[in-house]
Amino acid sequence: MPWEPRIFADEATGYGPVFEEEPQDLVYAEDNPDNRISMNCRVRANPPATIRWWLNNWEVKMLEQPDEYYSLVGGNLVITNPNKNKHSGKYVCVANNIYGTIISKEATVKFGYLDNFPPEEREPVLVKEGQGVVLLCDPPNRDPNDVKFHWLFNDYPNFIDMDRRRFISQSTGNLYIAMVEAEDVGNYSCFVSSPKIGKSVFSKPIPLVPQPQENPAKKYAADIKVKFPKTYALLAKNITLECFALGNPIPHIRWRKLDADLPPNYEVTMNGALLHLINVQYEDEGSYECEALNVKGKDWHRQWLYVEGPPEWASHINNTEKDVGSEHTMRCAGMGKPWPWIRWLKDGYSYGKGELQFSSLTFADSGMYQCVAENPWGTIYANAELRVIACAPTFEYNPVRKQLLGARNGRVVIECKPRAAPRPKFTWLKGKEKLANSTRYSVWIDGNLEIFNATNEDEGVYTCFAENDRGKANSTGTLTITDATRIIVAPSDVDILVGDSTLLPCTASYDPSLDLTFIWEVDSLLIDFATQGKHFELLLDRENSGDLLIRNALAKHSGRYSCTAQTVVDNITVIADVLVKGLPGPPGGVMVEETRDTSVKVIWTRGSEHGIPITQHVIQTRDYYALDPDDWKDAKTSPVFLDRFATAAEVVELFPYMLYEFRVIAINEMGPGEASWPSKKIRTWEAVPVVAPEDVGGFVGINGELTITWTPIQPQYYYGKKCGYVVAFKPHENYDWGWATVTDPETRRYVHRDLYITPATEIQVKVKAYNSKGEGPYSISSVVYAPEGVPSEQPLDVYARPVSSTEALVWWLPVYLQPPLQWVDGYQVRYWRKYDDNEAAAQRVLVGNGVNNTRLENMLPDSHYLIEVRAYNGVGLGPPSEHCEMFTRRPPPSRRLRVFKYVSWSGKWLYLSWDHIYNYWNESFIEGYKILYRQVGYRYGKLYTTGRHYIDFPMPETGDYIIEVRAHCEGGDGPVARVSIQGELAGAILTTQSLSLGSLLLFAMGSMAIDL
């Protein structure tokens, strides 16, 4: 029998074939100068495998035809002077050794070609200027079909670049010109290139002759000519949809997905003609629509995109070793779309479908098995060896234990696990007495012996005999009976409050010849006293006891506690329930349903009450523009009050088209509990804007430039995609409004040039927001005057005072002029150092006409400044005010504070002190100190001010904190000294220095000096 050498235990040291490299699909160019094809196949096996090749289900007979085209290099198949008629098709690599045979996945060899275009001349195309035209490529026959299309204009290599007006379809190769212009006259050639075979061809030129059109050219509606077909995309691949329209004016193309937003990873290029979907997922499947529109009309095209995927393994087979005569099932499962079907191969031959079941394995079942999953998009193989073994029983690796222990009145199991195949028959002897199944003894099917209610009489020598058709063996051990372990003091159920402590006693009696260990669990989870020592302590101070001390209990410590007293022989467990009453636990499973423009439905599951009934629930929201991770706000809900049993509510008064996440908090009589995990982020639906821009105004400059200004609406009021502004304006006496669109929602101004605006013209302006859903309301109309000249009066009573060493405030009396001949658009404030700066390089600040004060920044300390104010309008600057003189303050001390830190013996308080800094003659006097206490990663915290040189804080229980200390002066704040507090009892990693005498008197001992 050829399989015998590999089925006997230690003798089977080899393994079957394993593919390390399999052949891949290949395209061979018919005019390839290399004149050879190489199909790779690399196999690992012991003993080495024999490699054979099959073509179209026929074996390639290389040894029988040594002078033919084929040769074998290693395991690779080399084809010399390949011929399309003989060598194209599907190749398979077959690997075989004494353990079995496997076949590779199929690899297809194609002979690629790209024919030339026909030699006939192309007919000229006549088209009127302003109309659209399609130039047909009519590409030649080719294989593979994956080619790139370009178009040449007049001469090579003058390739046409695609833009809004011209588009080349990579599906048909045609050139589309949306609106023909006079400069389009010329010769056009279609250029086709095949990257896989490295060949390109181009057609005979097509003359394009634009014909003159009446002036002005006739306009016509958008007409879609490039329409993407029903498309199948593969999972995790990229796909491109084409859409292009003719029209005059040139149409604008928009994409959308019906009943859903476009996928998050989409990209629109070529001025809207191409929609790229990157890394396509199953949820991207659906109906897609492209819309082309211009002022004359619109057209649309809609088609379905299907997303499917090649097979993938959900579970597959692995190498397995089984006893002869045993049962065995082989199964594998694949995923894909369409769902893949499963078939089996054994040693290269078909072996059934579904799952393989063996009721009694024989040596003939040994071999190499392959599970094959396939659908229209691909085929995958999973390979494994099934080895059926047989051997005589042996206790060499797992003998019966020589010394066996059992507890009195308990259950004793003596293991007997020899290595044997097939499974042996088991016999047990106590001394010379053969044991049979009874009320005292039971021999398990796997050979173990079980003794019930053990007594001292059960002590003795036990021998296990194992025998099968290959041989027999035995192993012996001696059983000793000990006293049973018992719990004599057990814990009882207890209720405590959060922060309290309690003791759970546990005392046991046991056999004195053994060692006793106590194990505590809570809700079946082992308590690790090394890592959970903050709240749990095992007390072993009483004899035969292992009491559990729960210290500073938290709500999460509620549960079922078990104490197990254990020896090497037996164990016993007792349980007690501990209920820690406190704040409610976090609700779970927060999800969002029924999303609308201003409302959503939030659902959740109730959290733990922790012994005190919940009184209400609160829903909180955080939107995209939250400045801080903890910037959560209470949401308005329907119903308004969410009671103890609420698990769903509608959240109302949300912003449309806003990214939100939600969380839920439960409240009881002790206060609000821990918040739930946030929901997945969702975006509300789009809606028409309802907020208009504010502060609409403007001015008329020279050459008739009308500048319209406004304050943009906040981003949360965009309410949709593609937000922008419609700017409307008209002279007061006109009936019709002129208008323009601004596509950037952050823009603050629009400039309209009108040479017919004359001085003293009153112009009305207004602005409204729009988005993809529609247009919002206009702002209140404002009046802008076209002044006759610059402001004629100067601002009066200019006054300034310093705020710090680098900032000042300045005021003035506004200039009042009578429109329309005189008008003030705002004020210019200039400031410079009187003796040190050039007036021409003065710093400038511009403010609106409704403002009569401003802040001056970036000034130099302890300097003499001159300040000047002028009114201005669109024509220019008015006369300057009288110069105002002021002095900035002296700067704060530049030295950093030396900060000292001390943690109290109890670890509950942190004390800080610092040395006083004396100001020099050219520095501001120190008025006090500012201390900012904030958590790491947060911008905000608590700010304290003091005139003393010390302060104390409670130590934080968790988290890392930073304390910033700085001196405060009339000239500003000095440099910052920082102290890092790393959680509870952890100090900052700072330089240790000796303490000053004042600090020693304050903190006594144990301080650390910190010099930052």
Side-chain angles (χ1 to χ4, degrees):
M1 189 173 184
W3 304 106
E4 289 294 323
R6 61 185 177 88
I7 60 176
F8 296 109
D10 300 334
E11 299 177 8
T13 57
Y15 53 89
V18 178
F19 282 116
E20 293 186 334
E21 184 180 7
E22 299 184 66
Q24 304 292 326
D25 292 342
L26 184 145
V27 176
Y28 177 80
E30 292 183 348
D31 54 356
N32 192 324
D34 193 21
N35 288 329
R36 58 184 291 171
I37 295 174
S38 180
M39 305 290 288
N40 296 340
C41 182
R42 190 168 72 251
V43 178
R44 172 169 48 88
N46 184 17
T50 301
I51 304 297
R52 293 175 294 137
W53 284 85
W54 291 67
L55 169 60
N56 298 330
N57 296 323
W58 292 89
E59 185 176 356
V60 178
K61 302 289 186 178
M62 286 172 286
L63 296 179
E64 300 175 8
Q65 302 168 345
D67 57 343
E68 286 294 331
Y69 302 92
Y70 299 105
S71 61
L72 199 63
V73 180
N76 300 338
L77 177 67
V78 177
I79 308 172
T80 306
N81 298 319
N83 181 282
K84 179 179 180 180
N85 296 326
K86 294 183 178 181
H87 302 131
S88 60
K90 295 181 178 180
Y91 286 79
V92 171
C93 175
V94 182
N96 167 262
N97 71 1
I98 62 172
Y99 293 104
T101 303
I102 57 174
I103 65 174
S104 71
K105 65 180 182 180
E106 292 181 342
T108 301
V109 172
K110 289 184 177 181
F111 283 71
Y113 66 93
L114 175 61
D115 290 345
N116 291 319
F117 278 93
E120 291 81 15
E121 297 293 332
R122 298 282 189 107
E123 293 292 330
V125 176
L126 305 180
V127 61
K128 291 185 177 181
E129 294 180 15
Q131 291 184 347
V133 69
V134 180
L135 301 183
L136 302 180
C137 177
D138 193 14
N141 295 330
R142 60 200 179 273
D143 190 13
N145 200 44
D146 182 17
V147 295
K148 298 291 184 182
F149 293 99
H150 304 275
W151 279 78
L152 297 172
F153 180 61
N154 288 332
D155 298 313
Y156 180 88
N158 187 17
F159 289 99
I160 293 176
D161 293 327
M162 289 189 287
D163 51 28
R164 287 189 62 218
R165 204 168 57 85
R166 296 176 294 187
F167 178 74
I168 300 172
S169 171
Q170 295 302 314
S171 298
T172 63
N174 298 337
L175 170 63
Y176 299 82
I177 303 178
M179 186 180 70
V180 174
E181 298 178 351
E183 57 266 24
D184 292 329
V185 62
N187 295 317
Y188 293 79
S189 296
C190 181
F191 186 93
V192 183
S193 60
S194 177
K196 290 190 176 181
I197 65 173
K199 181 179 179 180
S200 300
V201 296
F202 57 89
S203 69
K204 288 288 186 178
I206 302 174
L208 178 65
V209 184
Q211 301 295 305
Q213 174 70 285
E214 62 268 16
N215 194 14
K218 181 181 179 181
K219 297 181 179 181
Y220 60 96
D223 181 16
I224 295 179
K225 292 298 184 181
V226 180
K227 300 179 179 181
F228 62 95
K230 179 171 65 175
T231 305
Y232 289 86
L234 283 182
L235 180 70
K237 300 295 185 181
N238 303 336
I239 192 72
T240 299
L241 305 181
E242 296 182 339
C243 182
F244 190 76
L246 311 183
N248 185 4
I250 299 172
H252 174 70
I253 298 176
R254 300 187 300 199
W255 291 87
R256 72 186 185 101
K257 182 182 179 186
L258 269 62
D259 302 326
D261 289 336
L262 286 170
N265 48 351
Y266 80 92
E267 182 181 1
V268 176
T269 61
M270 292 300 171
N271 300 289
L274 299 179
L275 172 66
H276 306 279
L277 303 181
I278 313 299
N279 189 24
V280 174
Q281 301 299 309
Y282 286 128
E283 56 266 26
D284 298 338
E285 183 173 282
S287 181
Y288 287 76
E289 178 184 279
C290 74
E291 181 184 50
L293 67 161
N294 60 15
V295 296
K296 297 298 291 182
K298 63 182 180 180
D299 190 11
W300 59 269
H301 170 69
R302 184 183 302 164
Q303 193 50 271
W304 198 268
L305 172 70
Y306 297 92
V307 180
E308 299 189 347
E312 298 180 73
W313 289 122
S315 64
H316 57 79
I317 54 176
N318 295 292
N319 293 338
T320 304
E321 188 177 273
K322 301 293 291 185
D323 295 345
V324 64
S326 63
E327 296 180 355
H328 182 51
T329 300
M330 301 180 73
R331 61 174 62 90
C332 57
M335 299 183 300
K337 189 177 180 183
W339 202 260
W341 58 92
I342 303 294
R343 60 186 176 90
W344 292 86
L345 302 174
K346 182 190 176 210
D347 293 329
Y349 293 96
S350 179
Y351 201 71
K353 301 178 182 180
E355 67 178 24
L356 301 182
Q357 294 183 339
F358 302 89
S359 59
S360 179
L361 287 170
T362 66
F363 297 141
D365 294 322
S366 295
M368 299 299 301
Y369 288 80
Q370 293 180 278
C371 180
V372 185
E374 50 193 340
N375 71 7
W377 300 109
T379 303
I380 55 176
Y381 290 73
N383 306 336
E385 178 185 355
L386 173 61
R387 185 172 297 182
V388 181
I389 65 170
C391 66
T394 175
F395 286 95
E396 180 182 357
Y397 304 103
N398 192 22
V400 174
R401 293 179 60 182
K402 297 302 180 184
Q403 298 297 325
L404 302 165
L405 297 175
R408 187 174 292 109
N409 299 321
R411 170 176 166 268
V412 179
V413 176
I414 305 176
E415 290 187 346
C416 179
K417 295 186 178 298
R419 182 176 182 182
R423 176 181 292 167
K425 294 175 61 177
F426 294 97
T427 305
W428 279 90
L429 296 182
K430 178 187 177 188
K432 296 184 179 181
E433 177 188 358
K434 183 177 179 180
L435 302 179
N437 289 331
S438 65
T439 57
R440 292 294 318 286
Y441 301 102
S442 175
V443 179
W444 295 1
I445 191 173
D446 63 357
N448 293 346
L449 174 66
E450 182 176 7
I451 305 173
F452 304 101
N453 300 319
T455 66
N456 290 342
E457 296 179 356
D458 293 316
E459 292 183 335
V461 177
Y462 289 80
T463 303
C464 176
F465 289 85
E467 181 179 0
N468 67 10
D469 59 358
R470 298 280 172 171
K472 58 185 176 180
N474 64 78
S475 183
T476 300
T478 302
L479 174 64
T480 302
I481 301 298
T482 63
D483 292 336
T485 305
R486 294 185 300 111
I487 298 291
I488 57 178
V489 178
S492 56
D493 298 344
V494 62
D495 292 357
I496 58 176
L497 294 177
V498 169
D500 289 351
S501 299
T502 189
L503 182 71
L504 300 181
C506 188
T507 304
S509 65
Y510 66 104
D511 191 295
S513 64
L514 305 175
D515 292 328
L516 179 66
T517 301
F518 288 93
I519 299 172
W520 281 91
E521 295 180 342
V522 54
D523 294 331
S524 300
L525 297 177
L526 183 67
I527 297 176
D528 186 347
F529 294 99
T531 60
Q532 298 175 272
K534 180 178 177 181
H535 296 285
F536 297 108
E537 182 179 355
L538 181 62
L539 302 179
L540 301 172
D541 50 354
R542 293 192 302 115
E543 185 178 3
N544 302 339
S545 296
D547 303 336
L548 175 65
L549 174 63
I550 304 176
R551 184 190 303 112
N552 189 23
L554 303 177
K556 66 180 180 180
H557 295 145
S558 293
R560 174 155 291 184
Y561 286 75
S562 64
C563 173
T564 301
Q566 178 175 290
T567 67
V568 294
V569 177
D570 65 344
N571 62 74
I572 187 168
T573 301
V574 292
I575 61 174
D577 291 326
V578 175
L579 178 61
V580 183
K581 296 182 178 181
L583 298 173
V590 179
M591 295 188 297
V592 180
E593 296 181 345
E594 300 178 14
T595 302
R596 298 182 179 86
D597 53 357
T598 60
S599 66
V600 298
K601 181 181 180 181
V602 178
I603 62 173
W604 65 92
T605 58
R606 294 171 57 196
S608 173
E609 293 192 337
H610 291 161
I612 303 176
I614 294 172
T615 56
Q616 72 172 107
H617 289 87
V618 173
I619 300 177
Q620 293 185 326
T621 67
R622 181 172 62 188
D623 62 35
Y624 177 81
Y625 296 101
L627 298 177
D628 193 272
D630 284 337
D631 190 9
W632 289 90
K633 299 176 181 178
D634 289 351
K636 293 186 178 180
T637 61
S638 176
V640 176
F641 181 80
L642 307 178
D643 61 19
R644 170 187 181 185
F645 303 102
T647 57
E650 184 180 16
V651 180
V652 297
E653 297 187 21
L654 300 174
F655 288 112
Y657 199 66
M658 177 62 69
L659 203 62
Y660 280 102
E661 51 188 337
F662 302 85
R663 70 180 187 183
V664 183
I665 297 175
I667 301 173
N668 64 13
E669 62 184 32
M670 294 185 67
E674 182 182 353
S676 69
W677 281 98
S679 67
K680 287 181 61 176
K681 293 181 180 179
I682 63 98
R683 189 181 293 278
T684 49
W685 291 357
E686 296 179 273
V688 176
V690 298
V691 176
E694 298 178 341
D695 303 326
V696 177
F699 56 87
V700 179
I702 58 177
N703 298 326
E705 285 189 350
L706 170 61
T707 301
I708 303 171
T709 61
W710 62 89
T711 300
I713 61 176
Q714 295 298 314
Q716 54 265 40
Y717 296 106
Y718 291 170
Y719 284 12
K721 295 175 288 190
K722 300 180 181 179
C723 184
Y725 301 102
V726 176
V727 183
F729 45 87
K730 72 178 185 71
H732 179 69
E733 64 276 6
N734 285 10
Y735 178 78
D736 294 327
W737 290 80
W739 59 274
T741 58
V742 178
T743 58
D744 184 357
E746 297 183 359
T747 300
R748 295 175 171 269
R749 62 170 53 203
Y750 170 75
V751 178
H752 173 72
R753 188 167 185 178
D754 189 344
L755 299 177
Y756 299 101
I757 298 179
T758 59
T761 299
E762 178 182 323
I763 301 173
Q764 293 181 331
V765 296
K766 58 184 179 181
V767 183
K768 66 179 177 182
Y770 74 89
N771 61 22
S772 57
K773 296 293 288 186
E775 298 177 354
Y778 272 112
S779 64
I780 298 175
S781 296
S782 297
V783 176
V784 175
Y785 295 98
E788 194 172 52
V790 301
S792 58
E793 298 184 11
Q794 64 182 19
L796 303 176
D797 294 343
V798 179
Y799 167 73
R801 69 171 178 86
V803 176
S804 67
S805 60
T806 60
E807 295 181 337
L809 292 176
V810 60
W811 294 265
W812 61 90
L813 291 179
V815 173
Y816 293 102
L817 297 175
Q818 184 66 34
L821 296 180
Q822 291 287 310
W823 180 253
V824 174
D825 288 320
Y827 299 92
Q828 173 191 269
V829 181
R830 295 198 308 154
Y831 53 102
W832 68 95
R833 289 185 297 173
K834 182 174 183 180
Y835 301 108
D836 302 294
D837 293 339
N838 186 341
E839 180 180 348
Q843 299 185 69
R844 291 171 169 81
V845 176
L846 296 178
V847 297
N849 62 356
V851 179
N852 71 328
N853 63 83
T854 189
R855 179 182 290 266
L856 309 181
E857 299 175 338
N858 300 321
M859 306 177 84
L860 296 178
D862 196 18
S863 299
H864 186 183
Y865 272 85
L866 296 180
I867 302 172
E868 170 194 283
V869 183
R870 291 187 178 196
Y872 73 86
N873 60 22
V875 179
L877 293 167
S881 67
E882 295 182 0
H883 289 171
C884 171
E885 301 189 24
M886 61 151 285
F887 291 86
T888 53
R889 291 173 175 165
R890 295 177 178 177
S894 59
R895 277 95 53 213
R896 201 181 301 269
L897 297 171
R898 292 178 67 234
V899 182
F900 304 92
K901 165 183 167 290
Y902 167 71
V903 179
S904 67
W905 292 111
S906 65
K908 299 295 184 182
W909 289 91
L910 169 70
Y911 302 97
L912 293 183
S913 71
W914 51 89
D915 287 343
H916 179 65
I917 292 181
Y918 295 94
N919 59 293
Y920 297 146
W921 65 270
N922 61 343
E923 295 176 335
S924 295
F925 176 76
I926 296 177
E927 299 176 342
Y929 299 93
K930 292 182 178 179
I931 303 95
L932 178 63
Y933 183 82
R934 64 179 176 87
Q935 191 170 0
V936 173
Y938 290 76
R939 293 184 294 174
Y940 307 106
K942 293 183 179 180
L943 181 65
Y944 303 88
T945 58
T946 181
R948 300 177 180 178
H949 299 164
Y950 58 87
I951 194 171
D952 55 78
F953 300 96
M955 277 293 290
E957 286 192 6
T958 58
D960 295 342
Y961 287 80
I962 290 178
I963 302 177
E964 299 179 351
V965 185
R966 69 184 78 193
H968 175 63
C969 315
E970 67 172 6
D973 296 336
V976 176
R978 290 185 176 87
V979 178
S980 298
I981 308 300
Q982 299 174 343
E984 186 175 291
L985 302 180
I989 305 174
L990 300 164
T991 306
T992 302
Q993 297 182 350
S994 60
L995 288 172
S996 65
L997 178 59
S999 300
L1000 287 171
L1001 292 174
L1002 177 63
F1003 299 118
M1005 60 187 303
S1007 299
M1008 174 184 288
I1010 303 164
D1011 187 4
L1012 294 171

